[in-house]
Structures are given as C-alpha cells and as structure tokens.
Amino acid sequence: MSNQISSREERSGAVICGAYGMGNAGDDAVLAAILTSLRRIERDIPVTVIARDPAAVTEKYGVRAVHPLDILRWRGAMKRAKLFISGGGSLLQDVTSRRSLQFYLLTIRTAKECGCAVQLYGCGVGPLLRDGSRRRTAEVLNACADVITLRDGESEKLLRDIGVTVPPVTVTADPALGLPPVRGERERAAGFVLRDWEGFGEAVPALAACAGYVRDTYRLEPVLLCLAPEDHAAARTVSGLLEREGVSAAVSLDSRRLSRMSLVISMRLHGLVFALRDGIPAAGVSYDPKVSAFCAEAGLPCLELSEASPESLRSLADAAVHLDGEALAAAASELRRRETGNAIAAAQLLGA
C-alpha cells in the first residue's frame, strides 16, 4: 500500500490504544467491551490494537495487534483507519510515569495527523501533578480530540481546570460496565483485591484484621483476588499474616472468581466495577482518585488507604454488607445506561 494518507472515503475501521496485553483483568475487560461495541456498530469492522503483547491480544480477541514500539506499523494502521480510540483506563496521568503520558499524547497527535477521527473512550484523566503535564495534555486534546467521553465527573472537572475547551466532553461510565453481568452460585467468601502502593505496607495489619473480622462476624472466608500479575505479592503478604494468626486465606489468580464472592473490598477500580456489574456488595479502599470517584458515582462506601485502621476497615465492611440491594441495582442500571454514550459517540465518528 502507498505511504500516502488515505482519503476519508477509502478509510475503514479503528485503531485502539490503551494499557492492553499486560495481563490486567480490568484493562482486558475494557478492551473486550470496546470491541463488542464496535462490532455492534459494524459487524466485521477491522481493528488494530496497540498492545504490549500483540500475539496474546490477537489470539484472545481475533484482531490485528502491534507493539507500542512498532511505530511504523501503528502509524500505517492509523493512515487506513477512520477512528482512533484512546482508552479506556487512566492513560493521561503522570503519577506512574511521565513517559507513558508522553506516549499516549503522541498517539493522539499522530492519529490526528494521519487523518483519523479521535475519541477518548470512557477514560479517566489524572492525576496530572506537573504543570508541564497539564499544559501539554490540554494542548493536545484541544488540537486533536474530536470527542471525549469520560468515566467520572472528577475527570471532567480536571479537564476543565487544565483548560480543555474545544472537544465535546461527556461523562459516561467505565466501558467494562457494558459487559453482561456474570451470574453464578455465590461462595460464602469475601474477596479482597489489593495492590502494592505507597502506604500499603502500613495498612497490611489493618487489612488482615478486616479479613479476619468478616470471617468471624459474617462467616465469609477471605479470598485474596489478583486482577493483575503484580497483585500477587500484595496478596501473599496479607495471606501470610493471616496464616500466622491462624486464619486460612486463599490467594486466587483467577479474576473470574470475583463474580462468585458474597462481598468485595477492593483497592483496584475494576474490582469495584466487576462487583457492581455482578450485583455484589462492595467497598473501596482508595489509593487513587479514580477509586473514590467511582465509589461516589456508584454509591459504594469508600475509605482512603491513608486512613485504613482496624476500626475504619471494620466500619467499611459493615457498610458494604448492609448496602441496599435495590439501590445497588439501580446504580448499576444507571451507569450501564450512561456507558452506552461511549458507543454512540464512536458510531457518530464512524459515520454509522
């Protein structure tokens, strides 16, 4: 094919860029949801995904995939595509790495230069702690984004604060909420979804005490659930402390087991997303604003990691156990309704 950029009439399909191919169950669910929505818009839509493990993504989802470092190939895909999707997930943030922020902004700008319509799809934005990060993000989004759909109101506020004024911005919901609920027989178990982060080490004794509390008070056996490979160390730390105190706690690498829990206490955002989607009472332990923002949107109790103590975590577990089932269902229904806005925006950009 020629290196010339295709005309709009010759283009087809989409390029998707996110934190994919890294074994994270939350990101995997987001990609599955985006692909499902695109295939509803156009049954045989050609898709290229920029992913850390292209072979795994191709095998799992049946799409073309390229590595982030393979710039020539993903730029070539952008020249052929109608739509570039950035997201979902928290791609535009500078907490974990400024380099990742620079990369995701580069893909947005390159997609626009290659003639794609550009959508941020059900994303979270931030934190953006550095003035340069905030300025650069606003410049790129104002110049290159056609539509921005966001998973929470806090992200919308941040975009306003940094000066994003050009593209239409809509608060929708996390794309993973668009996947059908997973129904199955509940275990008499409480799932704890933990991750190592600043302050986690200090909170380990309190988290272990909370696991023992829900076992003794509610007869729910604690299960340490890992949604990403890096969660295993945090789970083993808490599990080991519990075992020394005579409490048996399983560590499960099978993220699908979350759907069988009777209670979920999660540091990870998608532990809470999956729980709400599947009708499981849940509470958040927030290490990042995205966790507290989702809990506020969903009506779930939440506690800052820095405030974790045996007493505060017992209260958090009590609040989760006593959540009103009808209120949970109503919150899930409303967020699912809002989530459809992600696909509606994509369909408009694809001309469907």
Side-chain angles (χ1 to χ4, degrees):
M1 176 175 287
S2 167
N3 288 328
Q4 296 299 313
I5 295 175
S6 304
S7 71
R8 188 67 179 164
E9 292 73 20
E10 296 172 334
R11 292 173 173 271
S12 64
V15 175
I16 305 173
C17 182
Y20 303 127
M22 300 170 66
N24 184 303
D27 292 325
D28 286 351
V30 167
L31 179 57
I34 294 173
L35 290 171
T36 298
S37 293
L38 290 178
R39 288 163 177 163
R40 286 174 181 156
I41 296 167
E42 184 181 330
R43 182 177 176 181
D44 297 317
I45 186 169
V47 174
T48 299
V49 177
I50 303 173
R52 189 69 59 86
D53 188 341
V57 168
T58 295
E59 180 179 1
K60 186 171 184 177
Y61 301 105
V63 295
R64 184 170 180 257
V66 298
H67 194 276
L69 296 181
D70 199 345
I71 297 174
L72 289 178
R73 289 186 68 201
W74 55 253
R75 192 170 186 272
M78 289 173 177
K79 291 179 179 181
R80 299 186 296 271
K82 278 188 178 181
L83 175 63
F84 174 73
I85 288 176
S86 179
S90 300
L91 306 182
L92 303 185
Q93 50 83 22
D94 62 1
V95 174
T96 56
S97 167
R98 278 182 289 180
R99 289 179 62 188
S100 68
L101 173 64
Q102 292 166 359
F103 171 75
Y104 291 121
L105 291 176
L106 170 66
T107 62
I108 290 169
R109 181 174 289 282
T110 303
K112 179 55 64 175
E113 291 172 351
C114 288
C116 291
V118 173
Q119 178 183 0
L120 272 65
Y121 192 111
C123 289
V125 179
L128 291 169
L129 303 181
R130 300 168 180 85
D131 289 343
S133 299
R134 296 163 72 92
R135 182 175 60 254
R136 181 64 172 161
T137 299
E139 288 173 354
V140 172
L141 296 185
N142 280 328
C144 302
D146 293 285
V147 172
I148 299 174
T149 59
L150 300 170
R151 68 186 177 201
D152 59 68
E154 289 300 309
S155 296
E156 180 188 36
K157 180 178 183 300
L158 176 57
L159 289 187
R160 287 200 308 267
D161 289 346
I162 68 175
V164 175
T165 58
V166 177
V169 176
T170 305
V171 177
T172 55
D174 190 281
L177 287 162
L179 295 173
V182 178
R183 304 299 186 191
E185 185 175 351
R186 295 278 190 257
E187 299 179 23
R188 292 297 302 167
F192 288 78
V193 184
L194 309 175
R195 68 169 301 176
D196 195 2
W197 199 260
E198 183 179 354
F200 174 75
E202 292 82 351
V204 164
L207 290 162
C210 180
Y213 173 74
V214 298
R215 187 199 67 160
D216 296 341
T217 305
Y218 298 108
R219 301 295 185 263
L220 298 175
E221 293 299 318
V223 178
L224 286 303
L225 297 165
C226 303
L227 298 193
E230 61 267 28
D231 295 351
H232 191 240
R236 289 303 313 169
T237 299
V238 173
S239 175
L241 183 55
L242 284 168
E243 289 170 0
R244 288 196 294 273
E245 296 176 354
V247 178
S248 175
V251 175
S252 177
L253 302 179
D254 181 5
S255 62
R256 295 169 297 180
R257 192 175 175 187
L258 188 147
S259 66
R260 303 199 299 272
M261 296 293 103
S262 295
L263 173 70
V264 170
I265 305 231
S266 181
M267 289 178 62
R268 281 204 177 271
L269 169 65
H270 281 96
L272 300 166
V273 170
F274 296 159
L276 183 72
R277 183 196 65 191
D278 297 342
I280 302 169
V285 179
S286 178
Y287 73 95
D288 184 284
K290 66 185 179 183
V291 176
S292 48
F294 179 77
C295 287
E297 300 267 349
L300 300 178
C302 188
L303 175 74
E304 294 296 319
L305 178 63
S306 60
E307 299 173 357
S309 68
E311 297 76 19
S312 64
L313 284 166
R314 284 198 297 268
S315 297
L316 185 75
D318 290 338
V321 167
H322 294 104
L323 282 167
D324 180 82
E326 291 186 2
L328 275 180
S333 178
E334 171 58 17
L335 287 173
R336 280 195 297 268
R337 182 196 65 77
R338 280 174 31 187
E339 193 281 326
T340 61
N342 296 319
I344 290 170
Q348 291 171 343
L349 292 176
L350 285 166

Tab-separated table of all heavy atoms in Angstrom, residues 107-129:
chain	number	residue	atom	x	y	z
A	107	THR	N	0.353	9.285	20.531
A	107	THR	CA	-0.548	8.508	19.678
A	107	THR	C	-1.769	9.333	19.271
A	107	THR	O	-2.245	9.219	18.140
A	107	THR	CB	-1.001	7.216	20.378
A	107	THR	OG1	-1.725	7.531	21.578
A	107	THR	CG2	0.176	6.317	20.711
A	108	ILE	N	-2.264	10.165	20.169
A	108	ILE	CA	-3.417	11.013	19.839
A	108	ILE	C	-3.041	12.014	18.744
A	108	ILE	O	-3.773	12.185	17.754
A	108	ILE	CB	-3.916	11.741	21.107
A	108	ILE	CG1	-4.559	10.738	22.074
A	108	ILE	CG2	-4.913	12.843	20.748
A	108	ILE	CD1	-4.846	11.317	23.451
A	109	ARG	N	-1.905	12.659	18.913
A	109	ARG	CA	-1.489	13.640	17.902
A	109	ARG	C	-1.201	12.968	16.567
A	109	ARG	O	-1.588	13.472	15.505
A	109	ARG	CB	-0.250	14.409	18.392
A	109	ARG	CG	0.226	15.459	17.403
A	109	ARG	CD	1.351	16.297	17.954
A	109	ARG	NE	0.912	17.203	18.995
A	109	ARG	CZ	0.266	18.348	18.773
A	109	ARG	NH1	-0.048	18.697	17.526
A	109	ARG	NH2	-0.072	19.124	19.761
A	110	THR	N	-0.539	11.809	16.598
A	110	THR	CA	-0.210	11.111	15.350
A	110	THR	C	-1.479	10.672	14.632
A	110	THR	O	-1.578	10.770	13.403
A	110	THR	CB	0.688	9.900	15.641
A	110	THR	OG1	1.861	10.326	16.327
A	110	THR	CG2	1.082	9.198	14.349
A	111	ALA	N	-2.452	10.174	15.381
A	111	ALA	CA	-3.715	9.758	14.766
A	111	ALA	C	-4.386	10.925	14.044
A	111	ALA	O	-4.891	10.777	12.923
A	111	ALA	CB	-4.644	9.177	15.824
A	112	LYS	N	-4.377	12.078	14.659
A	112	LYS	CA	-4.979	13.246	14.015
A	112	LYS	C	-4.184	13.637	12.768
A	112	LYS	O	-4.764	13.944	11.718
A	112	LYS	CB	-5.045	14.407	15.011
A	112	LYS	CG	-5.631	15.702	14.446
A	112	LYS	CD	-7.001	15.515	13.829
A	112	LYS	CE	-8.048	15.085	14.852
A	112	LYS	NZ	-9.406	15.029	14.262
A	113	GLU	N	-2.869	13.603	12.859
A	113	GLU	CA	-2.044	13.921	11.693
A	113	GLU	C	-2.280	12.938	10.557
A	113	GLU	O	-2.185	13.305	9.377
A	113	GLU	CB	-0.565	13.916	12.095
A	113	GLU	CG	-0.173	15.060	13.015
A	113	GLU	CD	1.242	14.923	13.552
A	113	GLU	OE1	1.842	13.845	13.342
A	113	GLU	OE2	1.739	15.891	14.166
A	114	CYS	N	-2.610	11.693	10.904
A	114	CYS	CA	-2.853	10.662	9.890
A	114	CYS	C	-4.282	10.703	9.350
A	114	CYS	O	-4.634	9.892	8.484
A	114	CYS	CB	-2.563	9.285	10.475
A	114	CYS	SG	-0.804	8.955	10.722
A	115	GLY	N	-5.112	11.596	9.851
A	115	GLY	CA	-6.446	11.769	9.299
A	115	GLY	C	-7.552	11.030	10.019
A	115	GLY	O	-8.688	10.989	9.526
A	116	CYS	N	-7.273	10.426	11.180
A	116	CYS	CA	-8.317	9.725	11.937
A	116	CYS	C	-9.189	10.721	12.704
A	116	CYS	O	-8.711	11.765	13.160
A	116	CYS	CB	-7.700	8.790	12.978
A	116	CYS	SG	-6.842	7.360	12.324
A	117	ALA	N	-10.458	10.365	12.869
A	117	ALA	CA	-11.243	10.977	13.937
A	117	ALA	C	-10.724	10.408	15.249
A	117	ALA	O	-10.340	9.241	15.327
A	117	ALA	CB	-12.722	10.652	13.770
A	118	VAL	N	-10.698	11.225	16.295
A	118	VAL	CA	-10.080	10.832	17.560
A	118	VAL	C	-11.099	10.896	18.686
A	118	VAL	O	-11.744	11.932	18.894
A	118	VAL	CB	-8.875	11.737	17.896
A	118	VAL	CG1	-8.341	11.427	19.295
A	118	VAL	CG2	-7.774	11.560	16.855
A	119	GLN	N	-11.229	9.778	19.415
A	119	GLN	CA	-12.115	9.713	20.578
A	119	GLN	C	-11.346	9.215	21.789
A	119	GLN	O	-10.670	8.193	21.735
A	119	GLN	CB	-13.298	8.777	20.332
A	119	GLN	CG	-14.221	8.636	21.558
A	119	GLN	CD	-15.361	7.663	21.341
A	119	GLN	OE1	-15.496	7.062	20.270
A	119	GLN	NE2	-16.202	7.493	22.352
A	120	LEU	N	-11.463	9.922	22.903
A	120	LEU	CA	-11.110	9.364	24.200
A	120	LEU	C	-12.353	8.628	24.684
A	120	LEU	O	-13.423	9.230	24.826
A	120	LEU	CB	-10.710	10.451	25.190
A	120	LEU	CG	-9.229	10.855	25.185
A	120	LEU	CD1	-8.843	11.496	23.856
A	120	LEU	CD2	-8.913	11.781	26.348
A	121	TYR	N	-12.232	7.324	24.944
A	121	TYR	CA	-13.385	6.433	25.078
A	121	TYR	C	-13.543	5.966	26.527
A	121	TYR	O	-12.776	5.133	27.004
A	121	TYR	CB	-13.180	5.230	24.162
A	121	TYR	CG	-14.384	4.334	23.950
A	121	TYR	CD1	-15.019	4.294	22.713
A	121	TYR	CD2	-14.867	3.509	24.954
A	121	TYR	CE1	-16.100	3.455	22.484
A	121	TYR	CE2	-15.951	2.673	24.746
A	121	TYR	CZ	-16.569	2.650	23.509
A	121	TYR	OH	-17.642	1.812	23.279
A	122	GLY	N	-14.493	6.550	27.242
A	122	GLY	CA	-14.779	6.125	28.612
A	122	GLY	C	-13.579	6.196	29.519
A	122	GLY	O	-13.392	5.348	30.389
A	123	CYS	N	-12.763	7.229	29.357
A	123	CYS	CA	-11.484	7.320	30.062
A	123	CYS	C	-11.637	7.950	31.440
A	123	CYS	O	-12.591	8.667	31.732
A	123	CYS	CB	-10.506	8.188	29.268
A	123	CYS	SG	-9.910	7.413	27.767
A	124	GLY	N	-10.636	7.699	32.264
A	124	GLY	CA	-10.368	8.543	33.408
A	124	GLY	C	-9.174	9.407	33.059
A	124	GLY	O	-8.306	9.003	32.285
A	125	VAL	N	-9.122	10.606	33.609
A	125	VAL	CA	-7.995	11.504	33.372
A	125	VAL	C	-7.410	11.909	34.718
A	125	VAL	O	-8.150	12.247	35.642
A	125	VAL	CB	-8.421	12.759	32.585
A	125	VAL	CG1	-7.229	13.682	32.374
A	125	VAL	CG2	-9.041	12.372	31.254
A	126	GLY	N	-6.087	11.864	34.809
A	126	GLY	CA	-5.408	12.285	36.006
A	126	GLY	C	-5.039	11.121	36.913
A	126	GLY	O	-5.402	9.968	36.640
A	127	PRO	N	-4.322	11.458	37.979
A	127	PRO	CA	-3.829	12.790	38.337
A	127	PRO	C	-2.766	13.311	37.356
A	127	PRO	O	-1.999	12.542	36.799
A	127	PRO	CB	-3.203	12.570	39.724
A	127	PRO	CG	-3.789	11.310	40.245
A	127	PRO	CD	-4.015	10.468	39.041
A	128	LEU	N	-2.775	14.627	37.189
A	128	LEU	CA	-1.741	15.329	36.435
A	128	LEU	C	-1.097	16.310	37.418
A	128	LEU	O	-1.640	17.380	37.689
A	128	LEU	CB	-2.345	16.063	35.243
A	128	LEU	CG	-2.888	15.168	34.121
A	128	LEU	CD1	-3.710	15.971	33.126
A	128	LEU	CD2	-1.743	14.439	33.404
A	129	LEU	N	0.037	15.927	37.969
A	129	LEU	CA	0.628	16.659	39.080
A	129	LEU	C	1.557	17.775	38.630
A	129	LEU	O	1.785	18.732	39.381
A	129	LEU	CB	1.409	15.689	39.975
A	129	LEU	CG	0.603	14.506	40.541
A	129	LEU	CD1	1.499	13.649	41.417
A	129	LEU	CD2	-0.605	14.993	41.322
